[in-house]
Amino acid sequence: MAYCVICFEAMKEGTTCTLVECGHTFHSTCLHVWLLSSKSCPCCRSSVTQCQHSSHSVDVLEACLTHLKGRLKTVQAEYMNLLVHTHIWEIDRMNT
C-alpha cells in the first residue's frame, strides 16, 4: 500500500492524489499545503513546476490542515509513549 510522505497516512481507494513531474504521488490536499511553503518534492527535493491535479477550494485546504493537525497530535502521543517506555527500560536496566 502506498503512503503519503507528508501526512504518513495510507492512500486509500477513492482518495484524491496528485502526481508531480518527478513521479512521486501525494494526497492532493497535503501536497497543495506543502507547495504553499516549498516548491520542491517532499521526497526527492526536485523542483515542482507541474502537477496533475485539480484546483482546491479553501474548504478543502482547511480540511487538510485539520487532518494534519490531528495526525500531528497522534505522532506526538506516540513519541511521548516511546519516551516513557524508553525511560522505564533504562530504569529497569539500571536496577539489574
Side-chain angles (χ1 to χ4, degrees):
M1 178 169 290
Y3 288 85
C4 174
V5 300
I6 299 170
C7 70
F8 304 108
E9 295 278 324
M11 291 191 204
K12 299 174 183 163
E13 187 174 339
T15 303
T16 304
C17 298
T18 299
L19 175 68
V20 293
E21 58 197 296
C22 58
H24 294 109
T25 305
F26 310 94
H27 290 123
S28 295
T29 51
C30 295
L31 182 63
H32 189 79
V33 172
W34 175 272
L35 292 176
L36 292 175
S37 62
S38 176
K39 299 300 180 203
S40 63
C41 172
C43 283
C44 67
R45 302 293 184 202
S46 64
S47 178
V48 174
T49 57
Q50 294 180 350
C51 300
Q52 294 180 7
H53 69 312
S54 58
S55 60
H56 300 291
S57 67
V58 173
D59 292 338
V60 173
L61 291 176
E62 288 175 356
C64 182
L65 286 173
T66 300
H67 167 77
L68 291 174
K69 287 177 184 177
R71 182 66 186 137
L72 177 61
K73 287 180 182 178
T74 301
V75 169
Q76 287 172 330
E78 291 170 355
Y79 179 70
M80 291 303 295
N81 190 34
L82 176 66
L83 288 177
V84 167
H85 282 89
T86 301
H87 183 69
I88 290 170
W89 177 81
E90 288 175 350
I91 291 172
D92 287 345
R93 192 178 77 169
M94 289 175 16
N95 291 333
T96 58

